[in-house]
Structure formats: structure tokens, C-alpha cells
Amino acid sequence: MTSRSAFAIPAFRRLWTAGLISDTGDWLLFIALPLVVFQLTGSALGTSIAFLLELIPAVALAPLAARLVGRFDRRWIMVAVNVGQALALLPLLWVDELGDLPLAYAVIFVHASLSTLFEPAKNTLLPELVDTGRLVSANALIGLNQNLGRLVGGPLGGVLLAVGDLGLIVAVDALTYVVSAVLIATLPAVAAPAETHSPEEGAAPRPAGLLTAFRLPRLRGAFAVIFVSSVAQGMFLVLFVLFALGPLRGSDADVGLLRGIQAIGAVVAGVVLGFLVRGSSPRALTALSLFAFGALSLVTWNLPALTTDIWPYVVLFAAVGAPGVIMIAGLMSVLQEHSAPWQRGAVFAAVGLVSALGQAAGILLGALSDGPIGLLPLLELQGCLYLLSGVIALLWLPRARRGRKMGGQPATATHAC
């Protein structure tokens, strides 16, 4: 019996492995570099600037990403990005004191800019490697390796920084990007979207620009879900620490424990959805996961009225990682299934843009907790935004197209060897 897991496809396994390695490298940098910035500046503001620099390219470079991913071979875009990320780390070797801070900021900005190209290229390539029936499995497994990379790369980044110096981080991180580039280069060749034939028009259309993605009626619900849920995520980034140290009366160690424990639920969900569950509707998965996200959030924010013991929150935060992976798997599958190959570069560049704008709005909303509104009403709003996203998903996301083949390839081209 043929496996319906995307992991049965050799090309996908190579892409997955490359993603796991590069995601581990991303988390090395994500953990270590803000710590270095804080050590240099001694300022929360300096560290906040580092995080904001990661959002700017997703907005500013989205139109360029749409054009490049739509015009060129996605494999080689990803290879070039990985090589560029390895080279972009080198200026960190000269970061030793406060005067070198602009170099650290420049590395953060360049890495975020390259990621703006990498993610649309990866999400555009994925439907060319797997058939429609395995899209949910493939996207869940991508979410799995991102969380495995977090589990490995996060602690490893802290350990390497403690036992060595920033140079050691640079060496290990650069190696992960080079290995990832080599694996991606071995993927089978796939026609660029600009070369894809359109049966409806009888001609190969030009790659779509960014605005084209927002004009696709079937995807407007998905963009609405992404924006509203990203606002909730942005609020969480600001409010979580305030909640843990305030109503929960936790310590700095509790903050780290609760943030890290989310990966457990995410890994379990990635394994179950990637290897075991079959025939799931992306629309239903997205809606149900968002309802679960909202319900778990509201229970968590209101639980201090009953108890501030840490262990119920460990369970809740471990559980909340699962709907995050399921939501992303469902949404990405909807976007991949309901866009043509020459449109996907624009679609996934638009995803990065909408997500960044939503998170920025959420961060600004979270800052209102210092004012008369207070913390608890904003926490309640954050949970309700996830519930609203679930309603939008249930009512507005398109239903699955049964029997459709992806990327114009015959189904046998994606079967395991």
C-alpha cells in the first residue's frame, strides 16, 4: 500500500532535511544575536530594534520577492539565499564592542531580507514535489522540522555562546546554511512558473506581481485569517512576559520554560499530521485549530484567578503548540491548492507582508497594556482574535479541490521510489 505521507517522496525528504538544518541555524542566530546586542547595549530598546529589523524586509521587499520567485528556478533561489546567509554572518566576527553594533544590526537586516525570498520560494516549490493529497502532510512536516530546529538550535545557541564566543556561533551557523544549500541543489529540476502552461488561456502567462495575489477572490479569506491571527501573535509577543511575571507571579526561569515547552505540542502535532492523519480538509483543520488556539489562550489568561501554580500552565503551553502547527499546515495547503504555479510567488510574498503588518499591529496593541486599558482586557482580546480567525476560516476559506494535480505534473512523478 502506497504511503500517503509526503515523507515517502525522496525529493521531499531532502527538502525537509535541508529545512531542518537551516532552521537549526536560524535558531542559533535568533537566540544568540539578541543576547549579544543586549550585552553590548545593556538596553531593552536596543534589543527591541533588533526584533523590529526582522519585520521591515517582509514589508519592503515583498514586491521584489514576488517577481523573483515567479521568474526564476526556486531551487537556485533557495541555494543562493543559503549561501548568502552564510556569507552575511562573517561581519559578526568583528563585533566586539558597542561601536560595532551597526554591524550586528546589518547582519540581522540582511538575514531577514534573505528569508523574505527563501520562504516564498520554498512554499512555491513544495506543491511541485508532492501531489494534492499529501500537501497537508508536507506542510505539517515542514512545521515539524521548524520546531525541531527550535528545540535543537535554541539551547545550542545559548550553550555555544556560553562556552565559546560569537565566532563559534558564526562558524556553526554558516556550516548549517552551506549543508542546506548542497541538499537543495540536489532536488529535481522543476519548470519556472513563467514557463508553466495555462490550459485555460492556451499560453504561458507572466509571473504575477504582488497585487495579483490580493485580487484572487478565493484567497481573500486566507489573507484575512493570516492578518487577524498575526495581530494576536504580535500581541502575544508583548503580553506573554507581562502575564508570566505579573498575574502568574512567575520567575525568569518560568518564562523560558513556558516559551520552550510549546515546541512539544508542535512536534507531536507535526508527527501525527505528517505521518498518520489522512484525507484532512485544510479548511477544517485551519478553523478547528484556531478555535482551539483561542480557547486555550482564554483559559490560560483567566486561570490565575484559580491558581498560580506553574504546572497547569506547563500543560497548557505544551498543548498550545499543536494548533499552531495545524493552523499553518492548513493555511499553506489552502494557498498552494488554490493558486496557479505562476501566482504562488506573489501569493507567498503577500503572506509574509500580511503577517508582518499584522504582527506589527499586534505589538502596538500590546503596548497599550501600560495605559488605562490594562493587561487583562488585552489578553482577553488576544484570545478572542484567534476565535474570530476561526470564524473567518470556517466561513470564507475555499473548500478543497478533489483530484487536482499540482504543478502540472502527472501523479506518478511524485510517488516514492
Side-chain angles (χ1 to χ4, degrees), residues 11 15 46 55 92 102 142 147 154 160 222 225 233-234 266 291 344 369 380:
L15 178 64
L55 293 177
L92 292 178
I142 293 294
N147 283 280
L160 291 177
V225 169
Q233 175 62 21
F291 288 137
R344 289 186 192 126
S369 61
E380 303 280 8

Side-chain angles (χ1 to χ4, degrees), residues 21 46 82 89 93 134 198 225 255 258 291 331 334 337 378:
I21 293 169
N82 276 162
L89 291 171
L93 296 174
R134 303 192 219 206
S198 169
V225 169
V255 172
L258 295 177
F291 288 137
L331 271 176
V334 167
E337 183 177 350
L378 288 173

Side-chain angles (χ1 to χ4, degrees), residues 84-106:
Q85 287 175 314
L87 294 175
L89 291 171
L90 298 181
L92 292 178
L93 296 174
W94 287 273
V95 174
D96 293 313
E97 56 189 26
L98 184 59
D100 302 324
L101 189 60
L103 281 178
Y105 283 152

Side-chain angles (χ1 to χ4, degrees), residues 40 59 106 124 140 152 232 258 362-363 375:
L40 293 176
V59 177
T124 300
V152 176
L258 295 177
I363 290 170
L375 178 60

Side-chain angles (χ1 to χ4, degrees), residues 95-413:
V95 174
D96 293 313
E97 56 189 26
L98 184 59
D100 302 324
L101 189 60
L103 281 178
Y105 283 152
V107 169
I108 293 172
F109 184 81
V110 170
H111 263 259
S113 299
L114 290 169
S115 294
T116 300
L117 292 175
F118 190 90
E119 290 302 315
K122 178 185 71 179
N123 288 317
T124 300
L125 177 64
L126 192 60
E128 309 295 341
L129 301 180
V130 304
D131 54 82
T132 307
R134 303 192 219 206
L135 270 181
V136 170
S137 171
N139 284 299
L141 289 169
I142 293 294
L144 170 64
N145 72 18
Q146 289 171 347
N147 283 280
L148 290 175
R150 174 181 180 174
L151 283 174
V152 176
L156 184 59
V159 169
L160 291 177
L161 193 60
V163 303
D165 55 19
L166 192 55
L168 183 59
I169 295 284
V170 170
V172 175
D173 200 1
L175 180 62
T176 66
Y177 292 125
V178 171
V179 173
S180 175
V182 170
L183 285 170
I184 292 170
T186 67
L187 294 176
V190 177
E195 300 167 0
T196 305
H197 181 71
S198 169
E200 292 84 0
E201 299 180 11
R206 298 175 61 186
L210 184 66
L211 291 178
T212 301
F214 296 113
R215 296 191 185 111
L216 296 174
R218 294 182 67 82
L219 299 187
R220 289 172 184 163
F223 288 127
V225 169
I226 291 168
F227 180 78
V228 176
S229 61
S230 294
V231 173
Q233 175 62 21
M235 294 179 71
F236 175 84
L237 294 174
V238 176
L239 300 177
F240 164 69
V241 174
L242 300 177
F243 169 79
L245 299 179
L248 187 54
R249 301 172 190 170
S251 64
D252 291 344
D254 293 330
V255 172
L257 171 65
L258 295 177
R259 282 293 274 148
I261 205 73
Q262 293 177 42
I264 293 179
V267 168
V268 172
V271 170
V272 171
L273 199 56
F275 290 104
L276 303 178
V277 176
R278 301 289 176 265
S280 303
S281 161
R283 172 175 164 271
L285 285 174
T286 302
L288 292 174
S289 63
L290 286 164
F291 288 137
F293 227 144
L296 287 169
S297 296
L298 291 173
V299 169
T300 301
W301 305 145
N302 288 281
L303 191 57
L306 299 177
T307 179
T308 56
D309 187 86
I310 191 63
W311 294 111
Y313 298 91
V314 170
V315 174
L316 286 167
F317 273 85
V320 85
V325 167
I326 297 170
M327 174 190 70
I328 295 299
L331 271 176
M332 293 301 103
S333 299
V334 167
L335 293 165
Q336 289 158 347
E337 183 177 350
H338 293 280
S339 58
W342 57 89
Q343 297 168 335
R344 289 186 192 126
V347 166
F348 287 106
V351 168
L353 170 63
V354 172
S355 177
L357 290 174
Q359 286 194 47
I363 290 170
L364 293 175
L365 277 173
L368 297 177
S369 61
D370 288 335
I373 295 179
L375 178 60
L376 185 57
L378 288 173
L379 289 170
E380 303 280 8
L381 174 62
Q382 189 265 355
C384 289
L385 285 175
Y386 277 124
L387 296 179
L388 175 61
S389 299
V391 172
I392 295 172
L394 194 63
L395 298 179
W396 205 356
L397 289 185
R399 297 181 183 275
R401 293 177 176 176
R402 299 298 180 190
R404 179 185 169 194
K405 300 179 180 67
M406 308 305 293
Q409 299 183 33
T412 53

